[in-house]
Structures are given as structure tokens and as C-alpha cells.
Amino acid sequence: MSQSQRFLVTAVHSRRDGLGSDGMRNGDSNDSSLTERESTVPILEYLREPNRYGDGIPKESSPFINSTDIDKGILYEGKNLALFEEEMDRNPMVSSLLNRLANYTNLTQGVREHEEAENNEEPRKKEIKAPRMGTFIGVYLPCLQNILGVILFLRLTWIVGAAGIFGSFWIVFMCCACTLLTAISMSAIATNGVVPAGGSYYMISRSLGPEFGGAVGLCFYLGTTFAGAMYILGTIEILLTYIVPSAAIFKAEDPSQETSAMLNNMRVYGTCAITLMATVVFVGVKYVNKLALVFLACVILSILAIYAGVIKTAFNPPDFPLCMLGNRTLAWQAFDVCAKFSTEGNQTVTTQLWQLFCDSPYLNATCNEYFNLNNVTVIQGIPGIASNVINDNIWSTYGSQGEMLEKQGIPSVPASEDVTNTGLPYVFSDIATYFTMLVGIYFPSVTGIMAGSNRSGDLKDAQKSIPTGTLLAIITTSFIYLTCIILFGACIEGVLLRDKFGESVNGNLVIGTLAWPSPWVIVIGSFFSTCGAGLQSLTGAPRLMQAIARDGIVPFLRVFGHGKANGEPTWALLLTAGICEIGILIASLDSVAPILSMFFLMCYMFVNLACALQTLLKTPNWRPRFKYYHWTLSFLGMSLCLALMFICSWYYALVAMVIAGCIYKYIEYRGAEKEWGDGIRGLSLNAARYALLRLEDGPPHTKNWRPQLLILLNLDLEQNVKHPRLLSLTTQLKAGKGLTIVGSVLEGTFLERHTEVQNAEQNIKSLMGLEKTKGFCHVVVSSNRRDGVSHLIQSSGLGGMKHNTVLVAWPELWRQTDGPAGWKSFVDMVRETTAAHQALLVTKNIDSFPTNQERFAGGTIDVWWIVHDGGLLMLLPFLLSQHKVWKKCKMRIFTVAQIDDNSIQMKKDLQLFLYQLRLDAEVEVVEMLDNDISAFTYERTLVMEQRSQMLKQMQLSKNEREREAQLIHDRNAAAHSSGTDKLSVAPEGVHMTWTKEKITAEKHKNKESLLTEGVRDIFNMKPEWGNLNQSNVRRMHTAVKLNEVVVNKSQDARLVLLNLPGPPKNRQGDENYMEFLEVLTEGLNRVLMVRGGGSEVITIYS
């Protein structure tokens, strides 16, 4: 810490003999019975259970202000901190905070549960503690054992022989550079806070989020598990090939069956080995660590033996002769002397080698042509470091599968018919070799860098041990690998290097031939090395799975989070052993290695991405103790990982990415939502900020316009949504695209109703999840609903990401609910959306709309296009038809022709317009003649104005207004449903009664009945009709006639969309506006009234 950054912590004490802040002695107060305290009483009781706090992850506890469990029984003595009494309910005192931080523990969750059980049963019993390891035993040795594993002893000499010193050096350098850069990034992440159990998975998930973390974590788990299988296969290969070949259960009767017999032997012995190792791991991690010391001693001795052997070759090379026929290498196993003839006494006889190439042991036998033309020579397999063999091994010597190993520079006479018979004792290449394939096989040898971080839950100080131990292990092993490449190429003959199984040196391990004092040092050392690496993989992988399972981000893996009382992951160990058995059944080390490379490279790539992301975002919480990192190094490491993935195998790389992508999407849709403050969230915030600033440049182009919805919901007294079908319609309309804001208003003040706001938001979010509505929830508190709705319309959204459309349900009970306030709020909302240039969608009979699970087998969506206000009417059916609910519904567009319009030409023009819009719809032009106003229209207008006038004149209470309004409504309803056969002609001031037949006749009468004399007679029957407001009469006439046409054409439609007329400019007629809309939509099941925002939302241009 720099000297400019200093923190002052003042200890506050309360003493009985002191003076309080108010000048009174404490002894004079009512607290005189309290005992003297020399130190501050801790206010916040920080519980020891780690998963009570944070995000529920084991050992991700927090002693900070987010902790919620408070000891209610603690009293506050003294008045020194009286000013902060209100804050102490949720914020800890400094002394309490420091005390909790000092006593912070990092035990595994299983151990903690075990301790609690013991304390509850026997409080005095000594606590059980898990093994606590330091840097050397906990990180350095596991990394060293995993890195110096099977590849070094079984495949490195073969890689040097095929790729040459130069190619091998680049392979090792790229892989080691990749792991070194990854370790630097990992060190920065590991030192940026406490690293609980889970290690690498924890670091990735908390840096990149649960989706990336889970996907990469599971891939890394699979890689670690298959790595265990690879190490076990290497162990069995050493056992059956170099130690006890006679122990093979399956034996080949002819050379062509040797490969299959060997694979079967490895399957049987591998299954036994994994069972034994899993048992050892189950016993406990401390026993694995004790065995690790023994195994590591063997590894170190083996490496020292290699270096000692190299030094010895400078003055006394070991005697490992190679038998060559021409320039072809022979497998020295079925013969004893490398010669065609031998002398016994004075007689020349043929050797065993002769009999392998000839049909009889006699000198006149018929032999292989190449055998007759070429001589048999012996060369030294290990000429020594002082020889010039390094010049022959600098460049690559790649070969194809089944090719014989040949040495350049030795004379060879080709045969006329070169038949490569596998029965002859040649050394063949078992697989084709090329640079990218060798990279895939070699890379698993450097993948042990996270062996220590996987066991971070068992470390004393993970922040210190993981960077130090991992970097030291990488530097050590990189030096060993690079020097071994040069030394192998400088000491060993090229054909022997390319002899993978040592057939040319009588089945000896190739690297063992170089060792001093005996090849058995390397054989035994490599056996224990691979065995130890397998144990380390079986130790780390279950803990990784346990950490993923306990996070709960993958629901079906939660069972693997359980384990023994001391924290050992029993179920995860069983799963690991089962998956490892799959690798054992593959039985080929060279086939398993490239698969591991993909999973590990993907994991390393995301570790580098996480570090680069956090560094570039510069989040306040990014303060690693490890300072030797830079975002360019992380980016370089990430690029190198991606390049190596496709270098190794482009199709394996694609498969690994697809697997990770599937896991990502599964966690995204089915996994638990977690807020971990990850870098992807920070990146999303930065990207959102940048995009919002870009959106401020101007409104979106018509081609980019889509409805960005603000849904206004009504809530009941329990804060539950009254009309959940509004969200169903939203999902069907939006399909997860664009902006969706779900808003609601609570009446009152925020201070009084903030708890209800949280409850309402929780209910709305739950319903949004149930309806699969992707969007945001916003509940506001206002003194009245009208102002709250206005605030939502004005302020919802941010910057250019604002809603452009408001979706609301029609107030079905507008005549009864809240008096004028109910319908006035709706009418004002219509005016405000118009003033804000926002579209408005009003659903009538919303509860009859389909749910997301329903599927219409047919039917139509009818659009009544009366006026053009931007084209939203035609866009909405198209958007609905994209959803499964409406997919099979056909679209019909109706437009209205007046008496002066050419309906035929209108239809042609509309069809052409729809064709240019790329919309499939039936077109129909409905002719509405300029009929006289019917008596039914006058009657509806009269009832409407009577109701309005009565409510204005009568100064009644709310309940009285509702009763009066209901009375008028019942009278109106009776006018529609009365079945009386009489038509009573009453004197002035008496209401007339309409029969059902008369109403039907008036609504559907033809031209002949629309005579002026008939209307004059109607006025004679009802003189007060003449006093009606003619504007209201005309509006009611439009509503009645239009409703008559719409019901006639679209009564059976699945959905009817029509233009929402605007409210009158004169506010005195607002209540009449509601009545007009009621009449307009009478007799229709599902109605969506649409009012455009004043701008074009659909275009014919591309």
C-alpha cells in the first residue's frame, strides 16, 4: 500500500465510569445493571456456514454488509455510536468486520457440515480438520506429476524422431508458451479474491458467468477425467510392454492380431487399475498426497538418470546395437545374431535371421529378393552426444502408416517387386505422422498446470500457492522438455527415435536405453509417474464436478454435490470412474490424447479471455495481488489456444465447441440464474452503454422498426396479475425479440409500499418466466393510477432503447369501477400515447385470448383497415403468424369503400400494395352506403347522453354513483334483450320499449326502409331525439354501422384488428368516447384495437 493510502480505525469503548455524549454519567442511566465492557460488542453475527451468504456456493462466504442474519438479542451499550443505530441493522461495525475477516476460514463444505454435526452431538469433542497443504505439496508436486507424465516417457522420443529437433522444439515451445501465458492469466484471477473449492472452474465461472463457466467447467472436467484414463493406459502399456510382457491375458497367434490382442489386454488391466485407484482416492486425499511423494521421487530419479545417461554417452556410450538390412531397420526380437551366416567350427551355417527371410535353413533356399540384394549391418543405437548424430536429427522425417523405418545414408539396393510383408521382422510405423498430429498427441503432456488449482479447497492459502506453485512447475517442466528434445536428438539414432515401442532394441523402452545406470530406472520411474498422475486426475476431477454440482447451474448434476462427512466427493468420484472407464475401453493412448487437447485448450482459452476481459473492463473489484500480467499477454494466450485447437484437429475443435455450446444453451435455459459479478455481465453493460449512445443518433429506420412494448398490467390486492393473458399475447407478438417492459402502478407512497412493490415485481417476474416473456419489470408507486401510468409512458426505457408501443387491456368494468376516474385514466392514456408519438394496442376480452400452449388449427385473423396510421395494423398479424399459436391462421384485410369510391379499383390497389409488402392475405372491400341514421342509433345516443348528464348533475357519493350508473346500464341492456311483442307508443316523457324483432329490423333494414318519412315518424314517436348532440349521433351512427359490418364478416374470426379512433378534442365528451368503443366492438370475441404512433412502420422497399 502506498503511503498516500492510509486507513484510520478508531476503537470505541463504553465504560461505566465515563460520561456519555449527553454529559450524563453512565452510572446515572437506566443501564447501570449492564456489566463493564472494554471492547465493542459485535453487531453482525457472521455465521460460519459459507453457503448461507454470497451466491450459495460452498465457501463463497461474505463477512460484508450483504450478510443478513442478525443476532437480535444483542444490545447497544453507550451512546458513542447512537448516530449509527439505524445503520447497524444491516451494516457491521468496523471492529466486527475486521474480526470476521481475521477469522475467515476456507474449509470445504463437507468438512464444515461434519463439524456442525459433531458439535451438535458432542459439543466438547475436538473439531475435525481437513488436510491443509502448502505450495509445495498442494500445487507444485501435483502440477509436476501431471506434466511429467506419460508423454515424456512413452512418446517424446518418437515425436523428436518424426518431427526432428527443430519441429519438436517448436511443438514444445508453442505448447509451453500457451500454458505459461494461461498460468499468468490464471494467477491474476486466482489472486483477485478467495478461491474456494473448484479451482479453475470457480475462476472461469465467476469471471465469465454461469453459462460460460458451466460449459467450460464441464469440458475441463471431461478433459481431466479422460486424462486420468490416458495416464492409466500409459501405466498399463509400460506394464505389459516393458515390465511383464508375459502377463498378457490375450495373446496373438499371428502378427496381424497383435494390435487387437494388446488393446483387449489394456482394457482388462485398465479396468482393474481404475478400480484400485478409485478405492485409494476414496480413502482420502491425504493418502494420495503421501503416495504422491513416493511417485514424485521416482520421477525425479528417472529424470536424473536421463541426464546422467546423456553425460555418460560423451565418453562411454551404452551398447544398444541396431540391426539393419540395407537401410531398413529390423525388429531384434525373433533372432539372436544380426547376420545372414555364422561360423560354427569350420562350417558356415545360416542364422535365425536367414530362416525369417528364406523358406529353409539351407544355403540354396529361396529367399526374399531384398534380403538377397542387401547386406546386414549393425549400427549403434546410441552413438552418444559427442557424435554428429544431431545433424541427422535436426529436420523432420514424417512417414505414412505401415511404412518401414529406413535410415538415410546406408546403401540399399531396391528389389524389383518390393512386397512389404508384415510377417518379416521389419519395424513398421503404426500410424501416419505429421506436424499437426504430433501437436495433438504432445499437448496433453503440458495440461497438468491446473492440478493444483483443482484442489484449491485443500490449500492453506490458495491465493499465494496457486500462482507460485503453478508457475514454478511450468518453468521446471518446460526446461526439462526443451533440454530433453535437444539431448535426445544429439544422442540417439534417428531410426531408434522413430521406433515407438523399441522393437529394434529387443523391446526396451527407447528413453530407457539412454538412462544410467540401467534402463529399469526409467521403466520403473515412468510406471510410478503415470500411476501417480492418474491418481492426481482422479483426485482433482471429482472435486471439480462437486463444485459444479453444488453451484446448481446444471440441475441434473446436483446429486453429485453430495459426499462423505469429511467433504470427499463420493458420488462425483463414482461418475468420474465411470467416464474414465470409457477412455479405458478406447484403449489407445494416441486416440485419447487429441480429445484431451481440445477440452484443455478450450478451458485455457477461456481463462485467458476472462483475464483479458477483466483487465480491459477495469472493474473496481479487479485488484489482483499478482501484478505480472497484461491484457496483451492474455489475448496472445487466447489466440494461441484457439490456433492450437485447429492445428491439432479442426474437426475435433468444432466438435468440442459444439459440445460446449450445447452445455451453454442448456444452462442458459434450464440452469439456475446466478449473479456472480462476472466479466461477461460487465462486458454486456459496456456493450449496452455503447449501443445506447449509438441509438441516440436518431429514430430507427422503417425497415428496423419493431414494436418495443410497454405492457401496463393491473394488479389485485395481493399484487397478483389480473390478466395474465396479456403476457401470453406479448410472447406471441414478440417471440423474445426487441424490448419488452412490463409495468404496473400501485397507489400510495413508496416509503409505505416498497415491500408491496418488491412482492409485485416478484409475482410479475414469475409470471413472465411462466409465459416465457423476456423483458424487464417496472413497478412504480404514485399518488393515483393516472399519474403513475403517465410516468411509465414518459420515463420507461433508457436513451434510445425506449418503448414505442403501449399494450393495455380494455377496462371491462369502466362504468362501475372508481367512477369517472377509471375511464378518464384510460382516455388520458390514449391522449398521452398520441402526444408521445407512441402506438397503442388495446385488447378487448383479453381473458379469451389463447395461451402459449394452445394451437389454432385454422381460422382467420381479420384486419379492418379504416384509416392508415403507419401500417401497424398490417404488421401485427404478420408478427403473430410467426408464433405457433397463430401459425395456421390466414390473414384477411377488409377496407371500407364509401359511395363515391370505386371498390373494384380499391381492391386491385390493395392487392398490389400487399404484394409489394410481401404479405399473404385475402383482400375484401366492404361498401358502406350513406344510409340515414336509424332509430336504434338515436336510442343508443339518448341512453348514453342521459347517463352522462345524470352523472354530471347529481352530486352523489361513489357508491351512489355506481348504483345509478348500474341502473342506467341495466336499462340500456333491457333495450337490447327485451322480448316484448308490443311496441308501446308513450306520450311525451315516457320511454318507448323496443322488441327484439324491431331492433333486428332497424339494424339490418334495407334502402327502401330508409325514407325520410320514416325518420320523421320516429321523431314523432320520440321527440327528445331531436335535442340530441348531432356530433354524438353521427359518431354513434358510425360505430353502429361499422359494428354491423364487422360482425357480419368477422364474427367467427380468431382475432379482429381494427383502428382505434382517437378521443374527442373536447374533454366534456370523454365518457361518450368509451360508449362509442363499446358499441364498435359489440358481438366480437377477441378484439385488438390499434392506434398508430404517427410514423410509418412498414415499407415496400428493400
Side-chain angles (χ1 to χ4, degrees):
M1 181 184 300
S2 63
Q3 294 185 0
S4 61
Q5 294 177 324
R6 294 184 297 174
F7 298 91
L8 179 62
V9 179
T10 303
V12 182
H13 303 280
S14 176
R15 307 176 66 93
R16 289 186 59 195
D17 55 352
L19 289 175
S21 59
D22 55 357
M24 295 179 59
R25 289 187 177 272
N26 292 339
D28 297 334
S29 67
N30 293 331
D31 297 331
S32 59
S33 60
L34 294 175
T35 60
E36 180 179 356
R37 299 181 183 179
E38 292 293 336
S39 60
T40 305
V41 178
I43 303 306
L44 181 62
E45 182 63 27
Y46 172 49
L47 300 180
R48 298 179 65 192
E49 292 83 358
N51 59 344
R52 286 268 188 111
Y53 301 98
D55 54 5
I57 312 308
K59 302 200 294 5
E60 188 181 356
S61 54
S62 173
F64 299 98
I65 62 175
N66 291 332
S67 303
T68 56
D69 283 355
I70 300 171
D71 190 349
K72 300 296 183 182
I74 293 179
L75 299 176
Y76 304 106
E77 183 182 1
K79 299 182 180 180
N80 293 299
L81 296 178
L83 183 62
F84 298 96
E85 285 179 354
E86 300 285 339
E87 302 294 324
M88 290 182 184
D89 289 338
R90 57 186 183 274
N91 298 337
M93 292 169 56
V94 173
S95 58
S96 175
L97 174 64
L98 296 178
N99 182 48
R100 301 308 172 190
L101 287 175
N103 295 328
Y104 182 80
T105 183
N106 195 24
L107 291 179
T108 58
Q109 176 64 16
V111 176
R112 177 64 66 197
E113 293 171 354
H114 182 68
E115 285 182 11
E116 288 180 353
E118 293 293 336
N119 290 335
N120 291 335
E121 295 176 3
E122 301 180 27
R124 297 181 180 179
K125 190 171 181 178
K126 186 178 179 180
E127 291 186 355
I128 298 177
K129 295 183 178 180
R132 314 296 288 170
M133 295 171 287
T135 302
F136 186 74
I137 295 179
V139 180
Y140 183 76
L141 296 187
C143 289
L144 210 62
Q145 280 187 293
N146 278 268
I147 296 174
L148 298 177
V150 62
I151 300 298
L152 171 63
F153 300 109
L154 296 184
R155 295 293 183 268
L156 189 58
T157 54
W158 173 68
I159 292 174
V160 174
I165 296 175
F166 186 77
S168 302
F169 188 90
W170 273 110
I171 292 174
V172 175
F173 179 79
M174 283 193 304
C175 296
C176 290
C178 175
T179 55
L180 181 63
L181 293 172
T182 302
I184 292 174
S185 300
M186 184 183 68
S187 299
I189 299 173
T191 57
N192 189 53
V194 178
V195 181
S200 55
Y201 158 72
Y202 182 91
M203 291 185 291
I204 297 171
S205 60
R206 270 45 176 195
S207 298
L208 295 178
E211 294 87 1
F212 274 108
V216 180
L218 283 177
C219 286
F220 185 55
Y221 166 75
L222 292 174
T224 306
T225 304
F226 276 101
M230 184 187 71
Y231 295 133
I232 294 173
L233 289 175
T235 303
I236 304 306
E237 181 178 318
I238 295 172
L239 178 68
L240 297 181
T241 305
Y242 307 112
I243 299 178
V244 193
S246 60
I249 299 175
F250 300 92
K251 300 185 183 296
E253 297 181 356
D254 59 75
S256 61
Q257 297 178 354
E258 288 182 358
T259 302
S260 60
M262 183 63 183
L263 293 180
N264 290 330
N265 285 320
M266 296 188 73
R267 293 185 180 104
V268 174
Y269 279 96
T271 303
C272 298
I274 193 173
T275 304
L276 179 62
M277 290 183 179
T279 304
V280 173
V281 173
F282 178 78
V283 171
V285 65
K286 61 180 180 180
Y287 300 106
V288 175
N289 292 324
K290 290 179 180 179
L291 291 173
L293 294 176
V294 178
F295 296 152
L296 186 65
C298 296
V299 174
I300 294 175
L301 288 176
S302 300
I303 294 174
L304 292 177
I306 294 173
Y307 286 111
V310 170
I311 296 173
K312 182 177 177 294
T313 60
F315 52 88
N316 186 17
D319 184 22
F320 280 98
L322 302 180
C323 187
M324 308 294 295
L325 177 61
N327 64 349
R328 298 177 182 177
T329 308
L330 298 179
W332 204 329
Q333 291 178 339
F335 56 93
D336 52 355
V337 178
C338 182
K340 295 182 179 180
F341 312 101
S342 63
T343 303
E344 295 182 359
N346 295 325
Q347 187 178 3
T348 300
V349 296
T350 59
T351 61
Q352 294 178 351
L353 182 61
W354 174 279
Q355 298 177 23
L356 292 174
F357 284 91
C358 303
D359 57 1
S360 70
Y362 304 108
L363 295 176
N364 59 353
T366 302
C367 298
N368 181 274
E369 183 179 1
Y370 187 84
F371 183 75
N372 288 332
L373 295 176
N374 291 275
N375 295 324
V376 176
T377 58
V378 176
I379 64 173
Q380 193 56 248
I382 303 179
I385 196 171
S387 65
N388 292 325
V389 71
I390 189 173
N391 296 327
D392 299 331
N393 294 329
I394 288 179
W395 307 110
S396 61
T397 311
Y398 298 119
S400 58
Q401 184 177 5
E403 183 181 48
M404 292 178 289
L405 300 187
E406 298 179 346
K407 176 175 172 56
Q408 301 299 324
I410 297 180
S412 175
V413 180
S416 58
E417 49 181 55
D418 195 8
V419 180
T420 57
N421 190 349
T422 55
L424 297 178
Y426 292 123
V427 179
F428 296 97
S429 176
D430 62 332
I431 59 175
T433 54
Y434 43 92
F435 182 82
T436 57
M437 185 270 291
L438 295 179
V439 173
I441 291 178
Y442 172 76
F443 190 82
S445 68
V446 296
T447 55
I449 64 171
M450 290 188 174
S453 63
N454 286 343
R455 301 159 72 245
S456 56
D458 300 314
L459 299 175
K460 291 180 181 178
D461 186 358
Q463 287 192 358
K464 177 182 177 182
S465 297
I466 290 177
T468 306
T470 304
L471 289 174
L472 285 177
I474 292 176
I475 293 172
T476 303
T477 53
S478 298
F479 174 80
I480 292 173
Y481 279 128
L482 292 174
T483 55
C484 282
I485 287 174
I486 298 174
L487 296 177
F488 291 164
C491 296
I492 305 176
E493 183 61 55
V495 288
L496 179 56
L497 288 172
R498 297 197 300 276
D499 185 3
K500 183 188 293 186
F501 301 107
E503 296 176 85
S504 60
V505 287
N506 200 21
N508 280 295
L509 184 61
V510 175
I511 195 173
T513 60
L514 183 62
W516 180 87
S518 170
W520 283 100
V521 176
I522 298 295
V523 172
I524 300 300
S526 61
F527 177 80
F528 283 111
S529 171
T530 53
C531 185
L535 280 173
Q536 294 293 343
S537 296
L538 289 178
T539 302
R543 280 162 173 72
L544 182 59
M545 172 54 68
Q546 188 182 46
I548 297 174
R550 285 183 172 177
D551 267 354
I553 58 175
V554 184
F556 67 87
L557 293 179
R558 288 175 182 167
V559 66
F560 299 106
H562 305 294
K564 295 194 299 184
N566 64 349
E568 293 297 322
T570 307
W571 293 106
L573 178 61
L574 291 177
L575 176 67
T576 302
I579 298 176
C580 196
E581 177 64 19
I582 298 176
I584 296 296
L585 295 178
I586 296 176
S588 174
L589 190 149
D590 296 326
S591 299
V592 174
I595 301 175
L596 307 185
S597 299
M598 295 302 109
F599 289 127
F600 282 118
L601 280 168
M602 181 174 293
C603 178
Y604 297 166
M605 180 177 68
F606 280 100
V607 169
N608 286 291
L609 173 63
C611 182
L613 202 60
Q614 297 281 22
T615 306
L616 290 174
L617 290 177
K618 297 180 180 179
T619 54
N621 192 53
W622 179 246
R623 303 184 301 274
R625 291 180 181 173
F626 182 81
K627 301 299 182 183
Y628 306 102
Y629 70 94
H630 195 267
W631 70 267
T632 54
L633 295 178
S634 300
F635 186 79
L636 179 61
M638 181 182 66
S639 304
L640 189 56
C641 289
L642 185 63
L644 285 174
M645 286 180 67
F646 285 91
I647 286 174
C648 294
S649 174
W650 64 269
Y651 46 89
Y652 275 176
L654 293 178
V655 170
M657 289 181 175
V658 168
I659 293 175
C662 292
I663 298 173
Y664 177 94
K665 298 305 292 184
Y666 175 80
I667 295 175
E668 185 180 25
Y669 285 107
R670 296 295 304 276
E673 294 184 359
K674 300 287 183 180
E675 174 52 59
W676 287 334
D678 50 84
I680 293 297
R681 181 64 58 89
L683 181 64
S684 300
L685 289 174
N686 276 3
R689 171 183 170 274
Y690 176 77
L692 286 173
L693 292 175
R694 289 288 303 274
L695 286 176
E696 288 286 359
D697 293 344
H701 191 274
T702 304
K703 292 185 289 186
N704 296 327
W705 195 96
R706 67 167 59 247
Q708 317 286 4
L709 291 181
L710 169 63
I711 300 97
L712 298 178
L713 297 179
N714 292 327
L715 305 178
D716 58 20
L717 296 178
E718 301 297 327
Q719 286 79 49
N720 294 319
V721 179
K722 287 185 178 180
H723 303 295
R725 298 291 177 89
L726 266 179
L727 294 182
S728 301
L729 178 62
T730 302
T731 301
Q732 297 159 19
L733 188 62
K734 299 283 290 179
K737 305 297 190 301
L739 175 68
T740 301
I741 302 174
V742 182
S744 187
V745 178
L746 299 181
E747 295 188 9
T749 62
F750 183 75
L751 290 178
E752 296 175 351
R753 306 200 65 180
H754 66 276
T755 304
E756 297 176 22
V757 168
Q758 295 176 357
N759 186 31
E761 288 184 345
Q762 185 62 38
N763 293 339
I764 292 175
K765 288 179 180 178
S766 299
L767 184 61
M768 290 172 66
L770 189 64
E771 297 291 343
K772 298 181 179 180
T773 304
K774 296 183 178 181
F776 309 97
C777 176
H778 191 192
V779 178
V780 299
V781 181
S782 180
S783 58
N784 58 76
R785 177 173 176 80
R786 177 179 173 182
D787 290 345
V789 170
S790 178
H791 295 158
L792 284 174
I793 293 175
Q794 295 177 59
S795 61
S796 294
L798 181 63
M801 197 64 176
K802 294 179 66 69
H803 65 278
N804 54 28
T805 306
V806 178
L807 174 62
V808 66
W810 170 261
E812 303 287 348
L813 304 178
W814 63 273
R815 293 188 180 95
Q816 293 87 11
T817 305
D818 297 329
W823 50 262
K824 280 188 177 180
S825 176
F826 176 83
V827 177
D828 286 341
M829 180 189 63
V830 177
R831 289 193 175 100
E832 287 174 353
T833 54
T834 303
H837 302 289
Q838 296 174 5
L840 178 64
L841 309 179
V842 181
T843 59
K844 189 83 180 292
N845 303 323
I846 182 59
D847 294 330
S848 66
F849 275 62
T851 64
N852 293 327
Q853 288 72 37
E854 296 182 40
R855 301 287 184 272
F856 287 135
T860 60
I861 300 177
D862 288 359
V863 178
W864 285 85
W865 193 19
I866 312 300
V867 295
H868 178 66
D869 54 1
L872 185 58
L873 263 177
M874 288 172 287
L875 183 61
L876 291 176
F878 169 76
L879 296 177
L880 285 174
S881 65
Q882 307 302 304
H883 196 273
K884 295 179 181 179
V885 174
W886 307 91
K887 197 173 187 65
K888 295 184 179 180
C889 295
K890 295 182 179 180
M891 179 178 171
R892 296 192 302 178
I893 294 184
F894 298 89
T895 189
V896 176
Q898 299 298 323
I899 192 168
D900 297 332
D901 295 330
N902 185 340
S903 58
I904 298 177
Q905 187 61 38
M906 282 181 63
K907 184 173 183 178
K908 291 181 179 179
D909 294 340
L910 183 56
Q911 287 174 337
L912 177 61
F913 182 58
L914 291 177
Y915 176 78
Q916 293 172 334
L917 289 176
R918 291 90 64 199
L919 295 176
D920 296 327
E922 298 179 9
V923 175
E924 187 171 343
V925 178
V926 179
E927 296 181 351
M928 287 187 62
L929 302 178
D930 192 11
N931 298 335
D932 290 337
I933 300 173
S934 66
F936 176 78
T937 301
Y938 280 107
E939 179 66 14
R940 288 298 299 264
T941 308
L942 176 63
V943 172
M944 177 185 71
E945 290 196 354
Q946 283 179 342
R947 174 184 178 279
S948 176
Q949 188 66 26
M950 191 175 300
L951 291 178
K952 289 179 181 178
Q953 293 178 356
M954 299 173 63
Q955 300 295 329
L956 302 175
S957 66
K958 177 180 176 181
N959 292 335
E960 290 172 330
R961 284 202 310 268
E962 290 181 358
R963 286 198 302 270
E964 197 64 34
Q966 185 64 43
L967 179 64
I968 297 173
H969 173 68
D970 293 342
R971 185 187 305 167
N972 182 27
H976 285 74
S977 59
S978 174
T980 309
D981 295 328
K982 300 177 181 179
L983 175 63
S984 94
V985 181
E988 183 178 356
V990 180
H991 293 291
M992 61 184 293
T993 303
W994 291 86
T995 65
K996 186 174 182 180
E997 291 77 14
K998 181 63 178 176
I999 293 172
T1000 304
E1002 285 295 332
K1003 291 184 70 177
H1004 300 285
K1005 65 182 179 178
N1006 52 27
K1007 277 188 176 183
E1008 289 76 9
S1009 65
L1010 295 176
L1011 299 175
T1012 306
E1013 292 78 4
V1015 176
R1016 198 175 295 121
D1017 292 340
I1018 291 176
F1019 274 105
N1020 292 333
M1021 290 187 294
K1022 199 82 168 184
E1024 57 265 39
W1025 286 353
N1027 299 325
L1028 295 176
N1029 186 315
Q1030 292 304 306
S1031 175
N1032 288 341
V1033 173
R1034 288 195 306 272
R1035 290 173 181 268
M1036 183 63 74
H1037 175 66
T1038 301
V1040 170
K1041 297 301 295 181
L1042 189 57
N1043 173 259
E1044 177 183 325
V1045 174
V1046 173
V1047 170
N1048 183 40
K1049 295 287 185 179
S1050 303
Q1051 190 169 18
D1052 297 329
R1054 299 294 188 184
L1055 178 65
V1056 176
L1057 289 89
L1058 48 82
N1059 290 108
L1060 174 67
K1065 295 181 179 180
N1066 182 8
R1067 291 180 176 269
Q1068 300 299 322
D1070 285 356
E1071 66 275 12
N1072 299 334
Y1073 174 71
M1074 301 293 289
E1075 191 70 40
F1076 295 146
L1077 297 183
E1078 283 281 7
V1079 174
L1080 180 63
T1081 56
E1082 267 184 353
L1084 299 175
N1085 185 20
R1086 304 183 190 92
V1087 182
L1088 184 61
M1089 292 180 282
V1090 181
R1091 183 167 177 79
S1095 60
E1096 292 293 332
V1097 301
I1098 193 168
T1099 178
I1100 64 175
Y1101 300 105
S1102 60

